Structure formats: structure tokens, C-alpha cells
Amino acid sequence: MKRLFAAGWIATCDEAGTEHESGWLLVEDGVVAAVGGGAEPEADERVDLGGAVVTPGLVNTHHHLYQTLTRARAQESDLFAWLRELYPVWSRIDAEAEYAAARTGLAELALSGCTTVFDHHYVFPRGSTGLIEAEVQAAREIGVRIVASRGSMDLGVSDGGLPPDELVEDIDAVLADTQRLVAELHEQGPGARVQIAVAPCSPFSVTKKLMTESATLARQLGLTLHTHLAETVEEEAYCMELYGCTAVEYLTDLDWLGPDVWCAHCVHVSPDDIVDFAGSKTGVAHCPTSNLRLGAGIAPVREYLDAGVRVGLGVDGSASNERGDLLNEVKQALLLARGRGGPRAMTAREALQLGTRGSASVLGRDDIGSLEPGKRADFAVWRTDGLELGGTDDLVAGLVFTAPHRVDRLVVEGEDVVRGGALVHADEDEIASAHRAQARRFAR
Ligand SMILES: [Zn+2]
């Protein structure tokens, strides 16, 4: 069955940045069969886009879906104080709450044009089960792709770490559970809908032994590897005191950096660190709103891009963003780069590339992130006839400058996930009310 999406402005986000202002996209068997402008090819069904903009589905490279349960807490705190207030609240999480939170976070992301979500879950209270399975189920129901990580913390406060002792786990249990989840859930190859990544939480909540053994396991199993890194000045001071070096030096010493690795934030880095990221092909998940919300600082994204570092975007957890709107994060990345480096520091199209092909590359995925023949048919359709884009001739730049927008249609593997601005496979109001019922259990 061939479906033709015609009469739209197609921003392919391929390497050359090709756009077709009066373009079409031909989809067959869940894959992009062809894309172009001018004469339309034959198809079984023709969908008229009415001048809408089509972009690749956005790809989120850092999140903590469970945090939708605890928004607007610790409102004036830095990262460490914010975590200390929230860890005890999060210690009550169970599969039911995780499912409700994941449905909310994934629905928000889908409605903002996101087709693939990475989630970094690292809170596993003693005795809890089914947390990762719950978020994978939510992603399957809503229809988006998920890369779920089996995160971990094993450095409790009594050993000099930040998290309370009741939230840290035993190394062997972490590694065994990771292997179990990989065996049960991980898909390989193009079009994978569910993948598992290995993601010890951060240098201040994980021992050197668990960092090292996590990397060994990930590389044995061919999984990607992720952690938080160099987010705040407090983290830098902590690493200096505990390890006698910066966070990036610490990861380098552990032989962690590499093409299979991406790190969240990477705000407090030196020019040499940027060279090391480029040389080792380590990726960066840039989370602009979260960095602003926690007053963490501004990541040197222009320098990363100029050095050839892979950079993608993340909304980060919903307790530090507080939204899960990825198109808005594209705009935030643009504004933050300009606030730091002036009006030529980043173009609107570069920002869009970060959230699409950049993010896909960070996740190690070459089957998504751009609209080219052979790539999966994951894309977002944005209406251009509403109030916000009136007066805009350059609709692609306008989409970014005037964000956020609710996506009109979202397609994953050729199938509609959002149509007419509404979820196809789930009820937004039901998700919101079920989430509120769960969130009450975490109230202050
Ligand atoms: Zn995070």
C-alpha cells in the first residue's frame, strides 16, 4: 500500500538540508519510498497536506518520564538540593504510578511532534518490579518508539553519595536485571520500536565499580551507554573532592567515552573536553530548558557543533523542565545558543537538525531522524494556517521561531499516532485524569 502525502513543505533534514516547498512524501510498508517536489508519483491513497510543513519525527535523547508525578517542587533549588528534596518522594514509585506518568509524558511528547523517546529511569525502590515494563507498555499503546534504559544508583549517602541509602541497589542485581530486560524487550536493527540502554545515573550516585561494569556489560551486549555528566558547578566540586578530577576526566579515566556513549547536559566542560568528545565520537544530550530551570548554566553547543561532536536534544525530566514539549526544546536551544553567542550562533534550521538527525545520531540510530528513501516513515505534520504562523513566508524557520505548536499529524512507521491534533490510540483526557489520581499519592 503506497500512501502519498502531497502539497506540503517537506523539510527532509538530510545532510544537505534539502527542502521541497511544494513537495510530497511517498510511504510504503512503513518506510519512506521517495520524497520530492513537482510531479506527484502514483499511489493507492493521496493525503492533501494543504500547505502544512512536514519534518522528520523529533527524537528525544534524555528524559525521566516518572517525574511528571512531581512537578513544580523545590522551585528555587540547585540540582543537589532539588534531588535531596525529591529522592524521598520518588522512593514511593511503583509500576502503576510509572505507567500513569509514562503515558502522560509520552502523550505530551507525541503531541509536540516526537516519534522516538529515550527514557533514563534510575529509581528502583527496594521490592519494586515492572517499572521499565510499564513505560514500554505505555509507549506501545500510544504508538511511539522508546529506548528505555535500565538506570542505576549504588552510591548512597552513607558511602559519600547523594541519594538516600534506601534508593541504592546492589551491583549484581542491577546487572542481572539489565540482562533480563534485554532478553525480554530489546529489539535490534532498522525500525526497532523498543530498545534497552545501560545508564548508571551520575558520578555522584554511582560507584566506580558499577560505572565500569555497566560499560563492560553494554559493550558485551552491543547496547548504548548513557549517563548524566558535568551538569552543575556543584557536581564539578563534588567530583574534584571525591575523585580528584573533573567529571569528564573521570569518565575518560574509566574508558567510558566512545561512539556508543552519549551524556546528558555536558555544561561545565573545557575546550580540551570538547576535543575529547569529538575524538572519541561521544554524543551530547543538550537539555536547554532544564539547565535554565535549575540555573545549571549554558552548554557550549556552538563549540560542540564546530568541533564535530554529535549533539541531540532532550526535554529532561518533567520535574525540571517542567513540560515535555520537544519542539519547544528546539526553540529553546536556538534562543540559548543566541543568548550565549549572538544572533548568528545558531540558525532555526540548525536547531531543527539538532532535534531530528542530531538526536537520532546521538541514540545510534541511522534509520530515523531524516526523510530520505529507505528511512522509517516517522514524521510530523504541522499546520501553517493558524494564528501563530500568519505573516510567515519561511514556514520552516517560522515553525521554530513561533514554537511551541501542537502537531496536527504524527506518523510512526507509516501509521498515524496523532491525527487532527489528537492521539489516535489513547484518550488524552483519560490519561490526564488517571495521572492526577496517581500523582495525588506523591503530593507534598
Ligand atoms: Zn536527567
Side-chain angles (χ1 to χ4, degrees):
M1 161 100 174
K2 288 184 180 175
R3 278 177 105 192
L4 182 71
F5 295 83
W9 186 325
I10 318 288
T12 68
C13 293
D14 65 6
E15 195 163 359
T18 307
E19 293 179 15
H20 305 284
E21 285 189 36
S22 298
W24 45 261
L25 182 70
L26 186 66
V27 174
E28 186 174 14
D29 298 331
V31 172
V32 175
V35 57
E40 294 177 9
E42 292 288 313
D44 302 301
E45 182 191 351
R46 182 184 186 276
V47 177
D48 196 308
L49 296 170
V53 168
V54 178
T55 65
L58 304 178
V59 177
N60 189 43
T61 63
H62 188 68
H63 205 346
H64 312 286
L65 287 164
Y66 72 91
Q67 291 181 9
T68 59
L69 296 161
T70 57
R71 294 198 240 223
R73 308 289 177 91
Q75 294 171 14
E76 284 84 39
S77 299
D78 65 23
L79 174 68
F80 282 5
W82 177 88
L83 282 168
R84 285 193 183 102
E85 180 170 331
L86 282 163
Y87 282 138
V89 183
W90 294 338
S91 70
R92 287 179 245 153
I93 193 126
D94 58 19
E96 212 180 349
E98 176 72 34
Y99 174 68
R103 286 207 303 160
T104 296
L106 293 168
E108 268 194 276
L109 278 164
L111 292 166
S112 77
C114 176
T115 48
T116 299
V117 181
F118 167 70
D119 190 60
H120 188 179
H121 192 85
Y122 56 83
V123 175
F124 293 85
R126 300 237 163 95
S128 62
T129 56
L131 298 177
I132 301 299
E133 293 89 333
E135 60 182 72
V136 168
Q137 184 187 340
R140 284 189 168 130
E141 287 172 7
I142 287 172
V144 295
R145 302 185 199 275
I146 190 166
V147 181
S149 70
R150 204 320 178 168
S152 55
M153 300 194 291
D154 74 331
L155 186 63
V157 69
S158 64
D159 293 321
L162 200 71
D165 289 346
E166 62 267 24
L167 271 188
V168 301
E169 297 178 275
D170 173 71
I171 292 182
D172 292 338
V174 169
L175 299 176
D177 198 42
T178 307
Q179 287 178 288
R180 178 187 68 81
L181 288 165
V182 171
E184 289 177 8
L185 297 170
H186 183 69
E187 299 169 16
Q188 287 178 320
R193 281 185 173 267
V194 177
Q195 292 191 310
I196 300 293
V198 181
C201 186
S202 64
F204 53 82
S205 61
V206 177
T207 61
K208 196 177 271 191
K209 188 164 190 283
L210 181 53
M211 289 296 288
T212 306
E213 295 196 9
S214 295
T216 302
L217 179 69
R219 284 162 182 160
Q220 272 171 2
L221 299 178
L223 306 175
T224 51
L225 195 54
H226 178 68
T227 194
H228 291 98
L229 192 71
E231 182 173 354
T232 64
V233 287
E234 291 82 12
E235 180 186 335
E236 285 302 277
Y238 181 94
C239 284
M240 270 297 172
E241 192 180 328
L242 201 66
Y243 306 117
C245 60
T246 68
V248 179
E249 287 166 351
Y250 174 61
L251 278 211
T252 307
D253 288 347
L254 295 182
D255 197 23
W256 237 74
L257 301 185
D260 53 344
V261 177
W262 83 106
C263 301
H265 306 303
C266 306
V267 172
H268 300 279
V269 296
S270 68
D272 284 348
D273 293 337
I274 294 172
V275 171
D276 288 347
F277 271 78
S280 61
K281 297 187 164 55
T282 303
V284 170
H286 176 42
C287 306
T289 302
S290 174
N291 294 157
L292 293 171
R293 151 62 158 103
L294 291 172
I298 303 176
V301 172
R302 183 70 264 163
E303 287 88 333
Y304 282 129
L305 295 175
D306 290 344
V309 176
R310 295 180 292 138
V311 181
L313 296 181
V315 295
D316 202 3
S318 307
S320 70
N321 183 305
E322 315 267 332
R323 283 293 315 277
D325 187 308
L326 193 51
L327 184 68
N328 195 50
E329 225 55 31
V330 170
K331 175 180 176 176
Q332 291 280 65
L334 172 73
L335 297 182
L336 203 52
R338 290 183 174 198
R340 183 171 183 272
R344 280 185 285 278
M346 186 178 288
T347 68
R349 285 174 169 81
E350 280 180 308
L352 184 62
Q353 290 264 3
L354 288 182
T356 53
R357 67 181 293 113
S359 285
S361 166
V362 162
L363 293 187
R365 298 283 297 247
D366 59 8
D367 58 333
I368 56 174
S370 62
L371 298 173
E372 301 173 74
K375 301 266 181 172
R376 315 316 288 190
D378 289 10
F379 58 94
V381 178
W382 310 91
R383 284 181 63 161
T384 55
D385 55 355
L387 297 173
E388 301 87 351
L389 281 161
T392 308
D393 291 328
D394 183 345
L395 294 175
V396 174
L399 181 77
V400 174
F401 282 125
T402 62
H405 301 280
R406 177 170 281 237
V407 76
D408 182 51
R409 186 192 289 259
L410 191 73
V411 178
V412 176
E413 195 81 4
E415 301 290 332
D416 288 357
V417 168
V418 174
R419 199 185 301 130
L423 297 169
V424 173
H425 305 297
D427 182 301
E428 192 177 332
D429 292 339
E430 185 272 323
I431 288 174
S433 71
H435 179 261
R436 275 182 172 71
Q438 288 295 323
R440 276 196 284 277
R441 296 168 50 203
F442 298 81
R444 283 177 293 172

